[in-house]
Amino acid sequence: MRPIVVRPDAWPRAEGQAVKRPGRAGKNPAKAARSQVEPKPVDELSPAEAKKEHEFLAGEIERHDKLYYQEDQPEISDADYDALRLRSEALEQRFPGLISEKSPSLRVGAPPAAKFAKVRHAVRMLSLGNVFSEEETREFVARVRRFLKLGAGAPLDFTAELKIDGLSVSLRYERGKLAVAATRGDGSEGEDVTANVRTIADIPQELSGRHVPDVFEVRGEVYMAHADFAALNRRQAQSGAKTFANPRNAAAGSLRQLDPAITAARPLRFFSWGWGEASALPAQTNHGVLDAIAGWGFPVPPVTLCKSEDEMAAAYRAIELNRASLAFDIDGVVYKVDRLDLQERLGFVSRTPRWATAHKFSPEKATAILRGIEIQVGRTGAMTPVAKLEPVTVGGVVVQNATLHNEDEIARKDIRIGDTVIVQRAGDVIPQILGVILEKRAANSAPFAFPTVCPVCGSHAVREMNEKTGKLDAVRRCTGGLICAAQAVERLRHFVSRRAFDIEGLGEKHIQAFFDEGRIRAPADIFTLQARDGGSLPKLAEKEGWGPQSASNLFAAIETRRAIALERFIFALGIRHVGETTAKLLAKTFGSLQEFRRVMAEAGAFDRLNEIDGIGDEVAQSIVDFFEEPHNREVLAALERELTVEPYKLDVVPSQLAGATVVFTGKLERLTRDEAKSQAERLGAKVAGSVSKNTLYVVAGPGAGSKLKKAEELGVKILSEDDWFDLVSAA
DNA sequence: ACCCCTCGAGTTCT
DNA sequence: CTCGAGGGGT
């Protein structure tokens, strides 16, 4: 056999691409450097030589993968193995003709990147609403019928499908070939896991069969079967690696490997349940398209077509009964309106489709001893009780904490320290306490006394009176405000959080530590951190756990955030009642920070805010209060000295109706109001309740009154419902 | 006066 | 993910 040519240092490696393959024998790079022969530079190879070497390398890589992953008997060190891969890739880069389906870089992946690239979904990946009973299923069907204006007698088919418990991915096929695979992420943007997905046998590299659309995104679930999961955990345990809590975590952990070779060695499978962008659809029904997807070579779980609520309930019960005999985990049943034209009419409510819902199985429950109740103080002073539990496994995960929401919740359920409580994971994620097993309560237990002072700063904690309803708020808040360290730290954490300033390397731990030592006390301090470094406090680079490199990385990360979009900036301020959406609304309304501040300094600030659609009395008052507080003004001024806040940029929606405001009035015959609204919003228009000079169209049906009159007065264009239909279908 | 939806603010664990 | 509350429509 030809000797392996290795010398890692001789070949270029991009920064951050260090290949991590934990557990491989012989980690010491010095050892690898001993046996070496200088390889011929790639540029000096003839195509024939390159081809030969490339083939040889591919074989070697495959052999070592097998030794390492399947037989756990590696022959070469990590560094040597990496060198093989890098050499192979260098060859491919110089001679792209060498790249084939079989080439190692595609089959088991390009060099691991420092992290996954982001992929924007052409069609958003949504989450589903939930129902937990037959009754709620009937309500769901009734809602759909109401929305579509279908009487109880009109036919309406639903499909019932297994809800596989794995992780969702979107597989984009262009001209029939797998082009990109992405995780769901936040629904709009996921991570590029193409290289990993190529290693999953259930997923074809190419769609087979006729009538393959030019572009088609197959969506479905990557999962791990029970038997494969058990075997994997056995192997993990034998090799001393950590085992996985459940098949879902194992699947997620396996897919999200930076090194696709690891994914390749994991027994991942795939089921398709839907699709995203499609240049053409092979059918007009959900079950028809799923059949076509199966025909292209994908596993598709069985679909039951249901003509009534009774049939849906029967399908659910049948699946529930069979659950234990399945080779994989499911966590419920998904119902979808079968006809695609109806799906389109139904549209979406925020992030969930109106035409589908998940009927979840009741989650696994467990009992645990409540050791104590901790009070956490949020950035608004909200005091949230958290149950500290004796660790217990629920749904394959060890749970130690569970939120108790607020003091009324504790009183309602009469939860006492020392009690045995019933725990479940809501939606199989967030632990919650259902109630107490009273028989197990100790005789000397006492109701929990919710503190009336802040556990951190000692200030009074009060429940405010809601002036409108005359009721007490559910939350008790610390009144310490500026003097409360907990609130200050939480505000800073909010400021640097992902949706606000998103400063890399400045996580919650660092914020707490920097606050404690006085390095950062107010937001603007973040941006003077470097200038003050080595002043009254020791240099950051000399601080424990830090070094020159990590310190300079942090300073660099901070620098990149000196320019920030207005909406992010407003959100970061942490004004009560102003979250991401309202921050964006304010940014859109005022355009620039200067203008926003100018208006807020005027006497009519409250009214200017209040007249914005979506901002009522409470939110307007909260914003006004924020700007009246001298400390906040100082914080703002200090930030403005350090930062460039960029004016708001309009999002571009390519549609005639983009940015327009329309008003519907009178009776609509063909549409429900919701339907009309979602149509308008899909085209980038806003639906308002009242007519003003900013209104572009008023769509008037029979019985229209004052709004129609006002439209005539203002000269706003008036459309019939039919006109509106024409406009929508033209767009 | 009530209902529905959306938003905000809090939460867990990997 | 859940709860509570705000906003807006019926």
Side-chain angles (χ1 to χ4, degrees):
Chain A
M1 192 170 62
R2 195 171 138 179
I4 302 167
V5 175
V6 277
R7 191 174 156 218
D9 298 342
W11 300 321
R13 173 181 292 187
E15 215 175 334
Q17 287 189 346
V19 184
K20 274 220 187 89
R21 305 188 10 124
R24 186 177 279 276
K27 277 187 183 163
N28 187 353
K31 199 171 119 196
R34 254 181 260 138
S35 68
Q36 47 183 262
V37 184
E38 191 73 43
K40 206 165 166 184
V42 170
D43 281 331
E44 293 171 18
L45 291 171
S46 74
E49 282 174 314
K51 184 161 183 281
K52 211 169 151 199
E53 191 185 347
H54 184 258
E55 273 170 16
F56 167 74
L57 288 169
E60 279 302 297
I61 289 167
E62 199 177 339
R63 191 171 69 84
H64 288 299
D65 274 339
K66 197 154 173 256
L67 285 170
Y68 179 53
Y69 290 112
Q70 285 163 38
E71 301 173 25
D72 209 22
Q73 299 272 317
E75 279 180 13
I76 59 172
S77 75
D78 279 357
D80 291 359
Y81 174 85
D82 296 343
L84 290 177
R85 297 193 69 103
L86 286 166
R87 176 71 176 177
S88 166
E89 279 147 26
L91 288 168
E92 286 176 7
Q93 213 161 37
R94 174 68 186 77
F95 302 99
L98 295 174
I99 302 173
S100 74
E101 297 296 313
K102 274 188 69 188
S103 97
S105 62
L106 287 182
R107 207 168 37 82
V108 282
K115 55 183 176 186
F116 293 102
K118 295 264 186 245
V119 179
R120 187 152 275 282
H121 296 298
V123 175
R124 269 202 325 186
M125 288 185 86
L126 305 142
S127 48
L128 291 175
N130 295 316
V131 298
F132 289 95
S133 65
E134 203 178 306
E135 196 192 334
E136 286 177 20
T137 305
R138 288 175 193 278
E139 281 166 22
F140 162 71
V141 174
R143 260 201 314 278
V144 171
R145 285 189 177 276
R146 214 180 310 134
F147 192 94
L148 293 170
K149 295 196 168 174
L150 285 177
L156 177 65
D157 290 354
F158 285 86
T159 53
E161 303 167 32
L162 305 182
K163 188 172 193 303
I164 315 291
D165 194 12
L167 65 156
S168 307
V169 294
S170 185
L171 314 169
R172 187 182 177 87
Y173 288 81
E174 292 174 359
R175 270 166 267 105
K177 288 200 162 54
L178 177 59
V180 185
T183 61
R184 196 175 87 92
D186 65 2
S188 319
E189 206 176 53
E191 286 176 324
D192 186 340
V193 289
T194 313
N196 297 12
V197 157
R198 283 190 200 283
T199 69
I200 300 175
D202 279 348
I203 296 177
Q205 303 290 320
E206 200 167 339
L207 302 180
S208 60
R210 289 171 300 152
H211 309 304
V212 172
D214 207 35
V215 173
F216 197 92
E217 289 177 1
V218 174
R219 290 185 176 171
E221 211 77 359
V222 170
Y223 70 98
M224 201 176 279
H226 292 143
D228 292 334
F229 165 72
L232 172 65
N233 260 0
R234 270 198 303 277
R235 264 184 290 156
Q236 293 282 108
Q238 270 164 21
S239 62
K242 82 168 176 57
T243 56
F244 294 98
N246 54 52
R248 196 234 308 243
N249 285 355
S254 301
L255 189 69
R256 297 192 76 263
Q257 288 291 333
L258 289 170
D259 183 352
I262 299 177
T263 309
R266 300 277 175 82
L268 291 176
R269 293 168 177 251
F270 180 80
F271 268 133
S272 173
W273 43 249
W275 61 96
E277 194 183 11
S279 57
L281 283 174
Q284 275 90 54
T285 58
N286 176 52
H287 79 272
V289 178
L290 290 177
D291 278 350
I293 290 175
W296 292 332
F298 290 91
V300 174
V303 174
T304 312
L305 201 58
C306 306
K307 298 204 176 297
S308 66
E309 288 97 319
D310 289 341
E311 291 187 16
M312 291 161 78
Y316 175 84
R317 284 194 295 265
I319 291 168
E320 196 181 32
L321 228 63
N322 275 321
R323 183 182 185 186
S325 64
L326 295 172
F328 46 86
D329 278 342
I330 58 174
D331 57 354
V333 175
V334 178
Y335 306 122
K336 293 177 193 159
V337 170
D338 195 39
R339 269 173 55 182
L340 303 187
D341 57 330
L342 297 183
Q343 286 190 2
E344 192 165 337
R345 275 180 60 195
L346 284 155
F348 305 92
V349 190
S350 71
R351 276 168 285 274
T352 61
R354 278 201 196 82
W355 44 266
T357 198
H359 188 166
K360 294 275 197 73
F361 299 132
S362 48
E364 189 192 325
K365 294 172 182 59
T367 59
I369 312 270
L370 180 64
R371 278 198 304 217
I373 295 176
E374 190 181 277
I375 304 292
Q376 296 186 359
V377 183
R379 77 181 152 87
T380 63
M383 286 167 44
T384 309
V386 176
K388 309 303 279 186
L389 302 166
E390 209 63 58
V392 61
T393 304
V394 193
V397 165
V398 177
V399 169
Q400 304 190 64
N401 304 308
T403 176
L404 291 166
H405 299 296
N406 56 59
E407 71 183 281
D408 286 350
E409 174 92 1
I410 298 175
R412 207 178 308 131
K413 294 179 176 162
D414 187 23
I415 294 168
R416 306 181 181 189
I417 293 169
D419 276 351
T420 302
V421 295
I422 302 167
V423 185
Q424 76 173 21
R425 295 205 303 146
D428 269 342
V429 181
I430 313 269
Q432 60 182 200
I433 291 182
L434 295 176
V436 175
I437 300 177
L438 288 174
E439 298 84 69
K440 296 204 178 172
R441 171 170 289 169
N444 60 354
S445 78
F448 180 68
F450 203 93
T452 55
V453 294
C454 172
V456 176
C457 71
S459 302
H460 280 293
V462 299
R463 293 175 68 170
E464 287 158 29
M465 177 74 79
N466 182 314
E467 305 216 339
K468 281 201 189 109
T469 62
K471 285 191 205 150
L472 285 180
D473 284 351
V475 285
R476 186 177 286 277
R477 287 179 204 278
C478 156
T479 56
L482 297 172
I483 66 152
C484 181
Q487 289 189 45
V489 171
E490 292 303 317
R491 278 195 299 270
L492 286 168
R493 273 155 69 149
H494 172 78
F495 188 86
V496 299
S497 67
R498 196 166 56 80
R499 295 185 149 89
F501 268 76
D502 189 24
I503 296 174
E504 210 175 314
L506 193 58
E508 308 196 339
K509 285 232 175 73
H510 292 326
I511 285 287
Q512 181 73 58
F514 287 172
F515 183 87
D516 289 343
E517 55 180 351
R519 212 177 275 271
I520 293 178
R521 281 288 158 91
D525 295 346
I526 293 166
F527 296 94
T528 57
L529 197 60
Q530 186 167 20
R532 288 180 291 116
D533 199 34
S536 52
L537 284 162
K539 265 182 148 1
L540 185 58
E542 283 145 28
K543 190 171 140 62
E544 172 144 7
W546 290 79
Q549 187 63 51
S550 50
S552 82
N553 285 350
L554 176 61
F555 294 145
I558 290 170
E559 285 312 302
T560 64
R561 292 292 185 270
R562 276 195 200 269
I564 186 152
L566 178 59
E567 61 271 31
R568 272 181 180 257
F569 181 80
I570 295 174
F571 175 65
L573 293 176
I575 304 169
R576 175 119 90 104
H577 299 301
V578 178
E580 229 177 343
T581 307
T582 308
K584 192 164 179 187
L585 187 60
L586 291 166
K588 204 182 259 183
T589 304
F590 295 103
S592 70
L593 181 59
Q594 290 70 28
E595 176 65 6
F596 183 34
R597 244 180 9 130
R598 191 185 66 73
V599 175
M600 289 307 100
E602 288 174 354
F606 179 88
D607 294 327
R608 282 292 302 275
L609 290 165
N610 201 222
E611 71 194 15
I612 300 170
D613 186 18
I615 295 184
D617 293 354
E618 200 71 23
V619 179
Q621 192 57 52
S622 167
I623 299 168
V624 168
D625 290 349
F626 180 90
F627 280 91
E628 276 177 0
E629 165 64 48
H631 173 261
N632 290 335
R633 286 202 277 220
E634 283 165 32
V635 165
L636 209 54
L639 281 171
E640 280 190 270
R641 281 195 291 276
E642 301 295 330
L643 300 173
T644 312
V645 181
E646 295 156 352
Y648 183 77
K649 291 187 203 73
L650 259 181
D651 354 332
V652 212
V653 187
S655 139
Q656 289 192 346
L657 284 167
T661 302
V662 289
V663 175
F664 293 91
T665 181
K667 217 187 178 103
L668 298 175
E669 314 253 279
R670 294 166 64 182
L671 293 163
T672 61
R673 288 194 102 78
D674 279 351
E675 202 173 350
K677 190 174 176 197
S678 60
Q679 276 184 347
E681 281 165 1
R682 206 163 39 231
L683 298 166
K686 203 177 74 175
V687 176
S690 58
V691 182
S692 74
K693 62 179 181 349
N694 295 323
T695 310
L696 183 64
Y697 297 119
V698 169
V699 181
S706 62
K707 287 183 199 169
L708 181 60
K709 213 170 127 202
K710 184 148 187 211
E712 283 163 351
E713 281 167 22
L714 292 168
V716 174
K717 197 158 179 194
I718 297 159
L719 302 178
S720 70
E721 198 179 342
D722 289 339
D723 295 338
W724 170 252
F725 257 82
D726 294 343
L727 194 71
V728 168
S729 43

